[in-house]
Amino acid sequence: MSRGKRYDGEPKLNFKKVIGVIIAVAVIIMIIVSIINIVKTSNNKVEVKNYTYYTAYENGKFGIINDEGNIIIEPIYDEIISIPNNSKPIFICTYDVNDETGTYKTKAVNEKNEEILTGYDQIEAIDNFDSKQNIWYEDNILRVSKNGKYGLIDFTGKEVIPCDYDEITSLKGVKSNIIIKKAGNSGLINEKGQTIIPTQYKQILTLKEGYKNEYVIVNENNQYGLISTTSTILIEPKYEEIKYLNSSSLFAVKEAGVWKLLNTEDSQIIIDGGYDELKEAKTDGSIIIVKDGKYGVINTNKEEKIAPTYEELKYAFSIYYIAKKDGKYGIINLENQEIIPFEYTNMIYIENGGFIQADKSETETVIFDNTLSQKIIGLVSEINIEKGYIKAYVNNEYKYYNFKFEEKKSSDLLTSNTLFLSKKDGKYGYVDKSGKVVIDYIYEDATEQNLKRICSS
C-alpha cells in the first residue's frame, strides 16, 4: 500500500474541523456507557438490531463504540477513525502518519476490525461542511486512489467512477455533489457518478449554500456564468460576479463594477446599474436594493416602493419586511408602514416554521406567528426545524412547543430519546418514557439528553 500525502491541494484529512466534533463525541460516549447501564433492561427475544456507531477515545487512542455502549473496535489507533455513515459498520482508519513528510496510510475495516474494500493505495471518507460549521461525510461513497489518480466506490466496493481524476472533493455546503478535476478542468457529478456539469470549467461554485438548482461556472478568463443541472447555459460566462436573489429567473450580475438585474427567461437586463447592490428579488417583482449604504425596495420598473433609508432590510413573508433602524429591528410592510416597533436587538424569519424570532434582550425572545401575534415570550434555547419544535425557558421552567405553538411534553417530540429532563422542587433530574426517575432531582440546571452529557450541579 502506498503512502498518501496529507496536504496535497485540499487537505485529505480535515483534522481541524473534524477533531473538535469527534473529541466532543468521544467524551459524550464515555458517559453514554455509564448512563445506559442504568436504563437498559433485559430482553430475551432474538432480534436483528441496527446499531449507530461512534468514535470513542481512551488513553490517547481511538476506537469505535455502538449506541448500546459496546466496544466494537478497541481503542488502538493513534488517529481519529472516520465513520462515513454511522448506521453502517464501515470505518476508515488512518495509520503510519508522518507529520514531517505529510504522508499517511489508510484502510477500511468492518465491525470485526477486518480490512475490507481493498485493492487501492488510499481509501478515504469525503468530508463536507457548511458556513455554520456543520460537518458531515458523503454517506454513500468513498474516495479511492491508485497510482496517483482518484476515483469513487460505493460502500459495497462497486466502482462509481474509475481512478482517472487528479482530484475529487465535495462541493462545500451541498450534499451529494462531488467536484472532479482532470487536466486542470472541473466538473460536477452526483453520488451515483452521473454527470451534472461536464468537466470543462476552471471552477464550479454554489449560488447559495445548499442550493443545487443552478451553479456558477468560471471559465479560464475568470468570467462567471450560470448553468443548470441539465448542463444548459442560463447566463453566458462573461460577468465579474453572479449573485442569487432568491428568484428562479432574476439574478444579479456584475459587469465593469456595476450591478445589473438579469432575467434568464429572455436573457434581458432589466436594471442596468444605479445601485450599490441588489440583495433580494420576489415573484411580485419587488427587489431589495442598497443605495448610498441604505436599504430600500424597488420594482422591476425601478419604481421606489420603500425609500432606501434603512440600515438593513430583509423580506420575511407576504408583504412584510424585517427592517433595522437606529440599531433596532422591527417589521414594516410594502407600504413602508411600521407593523412591529423597532425595539428588538435581532430578528429573523424562520421560513420552515412560518414564524418570526425576535430577540428583545439576552434573556428574552418573542416568537410571532404569521399574523404577527405574540405566541411565546421567554428565553428560546432551541428551534429544531427537523423535528418541528421550539424549546423555551418560560416562567422558570423549560417548555416545548410545536410549530402550531401548542405546548407539548418532551417525550412527545423527542421520540428517539430514552431520558427526559424533569423538574421537581426547583431541581432538575431525568426520567424515562414511563416517567420513572432515572437520575434524581439534584441539578440546578440541565439540558435535555439522549443518553448524553449531564450538566453538573
Side-chain angles (χ1 to χ4, degrees), residues 23-40:
I23 292 298
V25 170
V27 173
I28 291 170
I29 293 302
M30 294 176 187
I31 300 175
I32 288 179
V33 179
S34 60
I35 297 178
I36 203 161
N37 287 333
I38 299 174
V39 300
K40 186 169 62 177

PDB file of all heavy atoms in Angstrom, residues 23-40:
ATOM      1  N   ILE A  23     -13.787  14.704  19.330  1.00  0.00           N
ATOM      2  CA  ILE A  23     -13.395  14.696  20.741  1.00  0.00           C
ATOM      3  C   ILE A  23     -14.617  14.918  21.623  1.00  0.00           C
ATOM      4  O   ILE A  23     -14.807  14.264  22.650  1.00  0.00           O
ATOM      5  CB  ILE A  23     -12.339  15.781  21.021  1.00  0.00           C
ATOM      6  CG1 ILE A  23     -11.018  15.415  20.313  1.00  0.00           C
ATOM      7  CG2 ILE A  23     -12.104  15.940  22.509  1.00  0.00           C
ATOM      8  CD1 ILE A  23     -10.390  14.134  20.779  1.00  0.00           C
ATOM      9  N   ALA A  24     -15.483  15.840  21.181  1.00  0.00           N
ATOM     10  CA  ALA A  24     -16.702  16.089  21.951  1.00  0.00           C
ATOM     11  C   ALA A  24     -17.556  14.838  22.005  1.00  0.00           C
ATOM     12  O   ALA A  24     -18.087  14.461  23.052  1.00  0.00           O
ATOM     13  CB  ALA A  24     -17.484  17.245  21.342  1.00  0.00           C
ATOM     14  N   VAL A  25     -17.691  14.181  20.867  1.00  0.00           N
ATOM     15  CA  VAL A  25     -18.470  12.946  20.833  1.00  0.00           C
ATOM     16  C   VAL A  25     -17.821  11.880  21.700  1.00  0.00           C
ATOM     17  O   VAL A  25     -18.491  11.133  22.414  1.00  0.00           O
ATOM     18  CB  VAL A  25     -18.608  12.435  19.381  1.00  0.00           C
ATOM     19  CG1 VAL A  25     -19.203  11.042  19.347  1.00  0.00           C
ATOM     20  CG2 VAL A  25     -19.486  13.380  18.581  1.00  0.00           C
ATOM     21  N   ALA A  26     -16.474  11.825  21.667  1.00  0.00           N
ATOM     22  CA  ALA A  26     -15.779  10.813  22.447  1.00  0.00           C
ATOM     23  C   ALA A  26     -16.054  10.958  23.940  1.00  0.00           C
ATOM     24  O   ALA A  26     -16.296   9.978  24.649  1.00  0.00           O
ATOM     25  CB  ALA A  26     -14.269  10.917  22.176  1.00  0.00           C
ATOM     26  N   VAL A  27     -16.037  12.195  24.403  1.00  0.00           N
ATOM     27  CA  VAL A  27     -16.316  12.427  25.821  1.00  0.00           C
ATOM     28  C   VAL A  27     -17.738  12.021  26.157  1.00  0.00           C
ATOM     29  O   VAL A  27     -18.016  11.393  27.175  1.00  0.00           O
ATOM     30  CB  VAL A  27     -16.081  13.922  26.165  1.00  0.00           C
ATOM     31  CG1 VAL A  27     -16.524  14.212  27.579  1.00  0.00           C
ATOM     32  CG2 VAL A  27     -14.618  14.271  25.982  1.00  0.00           C
ATOM     33  N   ILE A  28     -18.668  12.378  25.251  1.00  0.00           N
ATOM     34  CA  ILE A  28     -20.073  12.021  25.457  1.00  0.00           C
ATOM     35  C   ILE A  28     -20.242  10.514  25.494  1.00  0.00           C
ATOM     36  O   ILE A  28     -20.967   9.962  26.329  1.00  0.00           O
ATOM     37  CB  ILE A  28     -20.944  12.640  24.348  1.00  0.00           C
ATOM     38  CG1 ILE A  28     -20.980  14.159  24.520  1.00  0.00           C
ATOM     39  CG2 ILE A  28     -22.353  12.090  24.377  1.00  0.00           C
ATOM     40  CD1 ILE A  28     -21.607  14.879  23.341  1.00  0.00           C
ATOM     41  N   ILE A  29     -19.549   9.827  24.594  1.00  0.00           N
ATOM     42  CA  ILE A  29     -19.699   8.376  24.502  1.00  0.00           C
ATOM     43  C   ILE A  29     -19.279   7.691  25.800  1.00  0.00           C
ATOM     44  O   ILE A  29     -19.885   6.706  26.222  1.00  0.00           O
ATOM     45  CB  ILE A  29     -18.860   7.835  23.325  1.00  0.00           C
ATOM     46  CG1 ILE A  29     -19.443   8.338  22.001  1.00  0.00           C
ATOM     47  CG2 ILE A  29     -18.827   6.321  23.322  1.00  0.00           C
ATOM     48  CD1 ILE A  29     -20.877   7.958  21.789  1.00  0.00           C
ATOM     49  N   MET A  30     -18.229   8.199  26.456  1.00  0.00           N
ATOM     50  CA  MET A  30     -17.792   7.592  27.714  1.00  0.00           C
ATOM     51  C   MET A  30     -18.906   7.631  28.751  1.00  0.00           C
ATOM     52  O   MET A  30     -19.077   6.711  29.550  1.00  0.00           O
ATOM     53  CB  MET A  30     -16.554   8.332  28.237  1.00  0.00           C
ATOM     54  CG  MET A  30     -15.333   8.173  27.346  1.00  0.00           C
ATOM     55  SD  MET A  30     -13.948   9.155  27.939  1.00  0.00           S
ATOM     56  CE  MET A  30     -12.805   8.919  26.588  1.00  0.00           C
ATOM     57  N   ILE A  31     -19.686   8.721  28.714  1.00  0.00           N
ATOM     58  CA  ILE A  31     -20.764   8.855  29.692  1.00  0.00           C
ATOM     59  C   ILE A  31     -21.977   8.044  29.266  1.00  0.00           C
ATOM     60  O   ILE A  31     -22.774   7.604  30.095  1.00  0.00           O
ATOM     61  CB  ILE A  31     -21.106  10.340  29.885  1.00  0.00           C
ATOM     62  CG1 ILE A  31     -19.857  11.055  30.387  1.00  0.00           C
ATOM     63  CG2 ILE A  31     -22.233  10.530  30.881  1.00  0.00           C
ATOM     64  CD1 ILE A  31     -20.002  12.539  30.521  1.00  0.00           C
ATOM     65  N   ILE A  32     -22.116   7.828  27.948  1.00  0.00           N
ATOM     66  CA  ILE A  32     -23.230   7.001  27.474  1.00  0.00           C
ATOM     67  C   ILE A  32     -23.201   5.638  28.146  1.00  0.00           C
ATOM     68  O   ILE A  32     -24.222   5.111  28.569  1.00  0.00           O
ATOM     69  CB  ILE A  32     -23.152   6.812  25.942  1.00  0.00           C
ATOM     70  CG1 ILE A  32     -23.526   8.111  25.252  1.00  0.00           C
ATOM     71  CG2 ILE A  32     -24.086   5.704  25.476  1.00  0.00           C
ATOM     72  CD1 ILE A  32     -23.460   8.025  23.749  1.00  0.00           C
ATOM     73  N   VAL A  33     -21.996   5.071  28.267  1.00  0.00           N
ATOM     74  CA  VAL A  33     -21.872   3.719  28.805  1.00  0.00           C
ATOM     75  C   VAL A  33     -22.415   3.639  30.215  1.00  0.00           C
ATOM     76  O   VAL A  33     -23.169   2.726  30.562  1.00  0.00           O
ATOM     77  CB  VAL A  33     -20.390   3.266  28.779  1.00  0.00           C
ATOM     78  CG1 VAL A  33     -20.248   1.871  29.350  1.00  0.00           C
ATOM     79  CG2 VAL A  33     -19.867   3.315  27.365  1.00  0.00           C
ATOM     80  N   SER A  34     -22.055   4.626  31.049  1.00  0.00           N
ATOM     81  CA  SER A  34     -22.493   4.578  32.441  1.00  0.00           C
ATOM     82  C   SER A  34     -23.996   4.805  32.577  1.00  0.00           C
ATOM     83  O   SER A  34     -24.667   4.149  33.368  1.00  0.00           O
ATOM     84  CB  SER A  34     -21.728   5.627  33.259  1.00  0.00           C
ATOM     85  OG  SER A  34     -21.978   6.904  32.748  1.00  0.00           O
ATOM     86  N   ILE A  35     -24.548   5.724  31.751  1.00  0.00           N
ATOM     87  CA  ILE A  35     -25.973   6.006  31.848  1.00  0.00           C
ATOM     88  C   ILE A  35     -26.797   4.851  31.300  1.00  0.00           C
ATOM     89  O   ILE A  35     -27.822   4.473  31.865  1.00  0.00           O
ATOM     90  CB  ILE A  35     -26.318   7.304  31.099  1.00  0.00           C
ATOM     91  CG1 ILE A  35     -25.589   8.485  31.746  1.00  0.00           C
ATOM     92  CG2 ILE A  35     -27.817   7.562  31.115  1.00  0.00           C
ATOM     93  CD1 ILE A  35     -25.833   9.791  31.037  1.00  0.00           C
ATOM     94  N   ILE A  36     -26.330   4.269  30.212  1.00  0.00           N
ATOM     95  CA  ILE A  36     -27.138   3.234  29.573  1.00  0.00           C
ATOM     96  C   ILE A  36     -27.260   1.989  30.438  1.00  0.00           C
ATOM     97  O   ILE A  36     -28.234   1.258  30.375  1.00  0.00           O
ATOM     98  CB  ILE A  36     -26.565   2.889  28.179  1.00  0.00           C
ATOM     99  CG1 ILE A  36     -27.658   2.287  27.318  1.00  0.00           C
ATOM    100  CG2 ILE A  36     -25.379   1.947  28.268  1.00  0.00           C
ATOM    101  CD1 ILE A  36     -27.357   2.327  25.843  1.00  0.00           C
ATOM    102  N   ASN A  37     -26.255   1.753  31.286  1.00  0.00           N
ATOM    103  CA  ASN A  37     -26.332   0.612  32.196  1.00  0.00           C
ATOM    104  C   ASN A  37     -27.431   0.791  33.229  1.00  0.00           C
ATOM    105  O   ASN A  37     -27.953  -0.173  33.792  1.00  0.00           O
ATOM    106  CB  ASN A  37     -24.981   0.403  32.901  1.00  0.00           C
ATOM    107  CG  ASN A  37     -23.949  -0.171  31.953  1.00  0.00           C
ATOM    108  OD1 ASN A  37     -24.302  -0.855  30.996  1.00  0.00           O
ATOM    109  ND2 ASN A  37     -22.675   0.122  32.209  1.00  0.00           N
ATOM    110  N   ILE A  38     -27.791   2.052  33.476  1.00  0.00           N
ATOM    111  CA  ILE A  38     -28.853   2.317  34.445  1.00  0.00           C
ATOM    112  C   ILE A  38     -30.214   2.016  33.849  1.00  0.00           C
ATOM    113  O   ILE A  38     -31.092   1.447  34.494  1.00  0.00           O
ATOM    114  CB  ILE A  38     -28.795   3.800  34.901  1.00  0.00           C
ATOM    115  CG1 ILE A  38     -27.452   4.071  35.575  1.00  0.00           C
ATOM    116  CG2 ILE A  38     -29.929   4.118  35.848  1.00  0.00           C
ATOM    117  CD1 ILE A  38     -27.254   5.541  35.922  1.00  0.00           C
ATOM    118  N   VAL A  39     -30.385   2.442  32.573  1.00  0.00           N
ATOM    119  CA  VAL A  39     -31.715   2.356  31.979  1.00  0.00           C
ATOM    120  C   VAL A  39     -31.940   1.112  31.127  1.00  0.00           C
ATOM    121  O   VAL A  39     -33.055   0.842  30.708  1.00  0.00           O
ATOM    122  CB  VAL A  39     -31.984   3.612  31.121  1.00  0.00           C
ATOM    123  CG1 VAL A  39     -31.911   4.847  31.968  1.00  0.00           C
ATOM    124  CG2 VAL A  39     -30.997   3.694  29.966  1.00  0.00           C
ATOM    125  N   LYS A  40     -30.883   0.340  30.854  1.00  0.00           N
ATOM    126  CA  LYS A  40     -31.014  -0.824  29.970  1.00  0.00           C
ATOM    127  C   LYS A  40     -31.749  -1.954  30.666  1.00  0.00           C
ATOM    128  O   LYS A  40     -31.441  -2.302  31.791  1.00  0.00           O
ATOM    129  CB  LYS A  40     -29.610  -1.268  29.516  1.00  0.00           C
ATOM    130  CG  LYS A  40     -29.632  -2.369  28.480  1.00  0.00           C
ATOM    131  CD  LYS A  40     -28.248  -2.578  27.870  1.00  0.00           C
ATOM    132  CE  LYS A  40     -27.270  -3.010  28.922  1.00  0.00           C
ATOM    133  NZ  LYS A  40     -25.951  -3.288  28.336  1.00  0.00           N
TER     134      LYS A  40
END
